[in-house]
Amino acid sequence: GSKAYFAGGEECDSSNICTVSSLVEIYDSTAKTWTTSNLSSARAELSAGVTTDGYLVFAGGFTASAPSDVVD
């Protein structure tokens, strides 16, 4: 496809205070545009995969305080 997906993650400030993101950034290389969406819950270190019927899923990772078993 012509789209790249970047989901979740963690950002730390200069005081090492970190926040976990629910942001999904989507780059369409054909249109050369960015759009955004959101995960159902903020998390970092998640996994992504494509199902046999073509759906993109994001699974697991860590919330700000614990492991996550959420699948989007």
Side-chain angles (χ1 to χ4, degrees), residues 3-26:
K3 294 183 180 175
Y5 296 81
F6 305 88
E10 182 177 59
E11 185 172 355
C12 301
D13 66 18
S14 61
S15 300
N16 207 28
I17 297 172
C18 302
T19 56
V20 179
S21 175
S22 64
L23 182 65
V24 179
E25 296 178 284
I26 306 153

Side-chain angles (χ1 to χ4, degrees), residues 3-55:
K3 294 183 180 175
Y5 296 81
F6 305 88
E10 182 177 59
E11 185 172 355
C12 301
D13 66 18
S14 61
S15 300
N16 207 28
I17 297 172
C18 302
T19 56
V20 179
S21 175
S22 64
L23 182 65
V24 179
E25 296 178 284
I26 306 153
Y27 181 69
D28 184 326
S29 62
T30 302
K32 297 185 178 9
T33 58
W34 287 92
T35 56
T36 60
S37 187
N38 286 289
L39 299 167
S40 62
S41 64
R43 52 198 200 272
E45 300 182 36
L46 60 161
S47 297
V50 178
T51 64
T52 57
D53 51 354
Y55 288 96

